[in-house]
Amino acid sequence: MVTIATKPFGQIEVDERQIIDFPEGIYGFEDIKKFVILDANEKSPFKWLQAYDEPDLAFVIIRPIDFMMQYELNVMSEDLEDIGAKSPDEVIVFAIVTIPEDPSQMTANLQGPVLINPKTRRGKQAISLSDKYTVRHYILEEIKKAQVKR
């Protein structure tokens, strides 16, 4: 176990196996190479992508499948290879969430999915090749659409 300082929880202990290497960083934060994923709470689909060495840098993230009925990862094969994956089935996909002053307007960036290979503990933010995904998908609207279709 190692102790890290986090934005949402202060100092906490995490298992070293939770540390994920991002050799290329996250867009806009290319110098930050290590992150950990922290649960917001047990029942929430939201998690934190916390920078290991930067306590004030943390992103709220969510898996697209937690708010969108049909999500298909479409990235370059090199993006998967960079994190040691051969197919999309080997990675966990997250979207970075933006929460404005009015939380009902929170959005998820599906154009820049965060890919994590749990086996290699490597991650990468890729660019989606699909033109149906943008940087702002309204999470609550997508949930409502999914409920109507059920």
Side-chain angles (χ1 to χ4, degrees), residues 78-114:
E78 291 84 5
D79 291 329
L80 297 172
E81 292 167 9
D82 287 347
I83 58 171
K86 293 177 183 159
S87 78
D89 297 337
E90 297 177 23
V91 301
I92 301 171
V93 181
F94 288 100
I96 294 176
V97 175
T98 299
I99 303 175
E101 196 170 305
D102 177 0
S104 70
Q105 299 298 309
M106 68 180 147
T107 59
N109 177 355
L110 296 181
Q111 195 173 45
V114 175

